[in-house]
Amino acid sequence: QVQLVESGGGSVQAGESLRLSCGTSANIRAANYMGWYRQVPGKEREFVASMRSGGVTDLVNSVKGRFTISGDLVDHTVSLQMNDLKLEDTAVYYCNIRRRGFVTGNYDYWGQGTQVTVSS
């Protein structure tokens, strides 16, 4: 079973920054999608940011201008730079790396989650 290893979570004050990282050393084919999601207790997991083949990125409106996603689909590494953090960014953050649409070698892996806590 492939494991994604996340790092970089923690507790910060509003306005500060954190950088989350995620990756795997497993010998798997290049991904065509990498993303970050977050979840707070009692709510569904929500999309935060993604990166697709061709370098196409997408961010949820609430983090545009503050968060940046970057990574390497071949090396299966993805990061989320989070600046100007707000109280409402508090959540457990999960990375997701996928390969879909091929005859073989498709996969969909999730990280274990890392806590981000923003206080005033």
Side-chain angles (χ1 to χ4, degrees):
Q1 180 69 19
V2 172
Q3 290 187 330
L4 302 185
V5 178
E6 296 184 30
S7 62
S11 297
V12 296
Q13 292 190 323
E16 295 183 339
S17 300
L18 281 174
R19 183 178 181 87
L20 306 182
S21 295
C22 173
T24 179
S25 59
N27 184 21
I28 55 177
R29 297 183 182 184
N32 53 13
Y33 175 96
M34 299 189 297
W36 288 94
Y37 295 74
R38 64 188 180 188
Q39 189 170 23
V40 297
K43 293 189 176 181
E44 293 188 356
R45 191 172 298 185
E46 68 168 359
F47 167 80
V48 177
S50 67
M51 180 176 180
R52 293 180 173 83
S53 300
V56 178
T57 61
D58 190 21
L59 297 165
V60 67
N61 285 338
S62 61
V63 307
K64 286 181 178 178
R66 301 188 297 120
F67 290 13
T68 303
I69 185 170
S70 61
D72 189 315
L73 292 164
V74 175
D75 289 342
H76 314 100
T77 57
V78 59
S79 296
L80 185 68
Q81 177 66 42
M82 305 185 294
N83 298 329
D84 189 23
L85 282 160
K86 302 180 183 300
L87 299 180
E88 53 265 36
D89 295 320
T90 296
V92 177
Y93 285 71
Y94 298 89
C95 66
N96 176 225
I97 296 179
R98 305 175 196 168
R99 176 182 169 91
R100 290 183 174 174
F102 295 86
V103 175
T104 61
N106 295 317
Y107 55 77
D108 186 352
Y109 299 126
W110 289 85
Q112 80 281 6
T114 186
Q115 177 70 45
V116 171
T117 303
V118 184
S119 59
S120 59

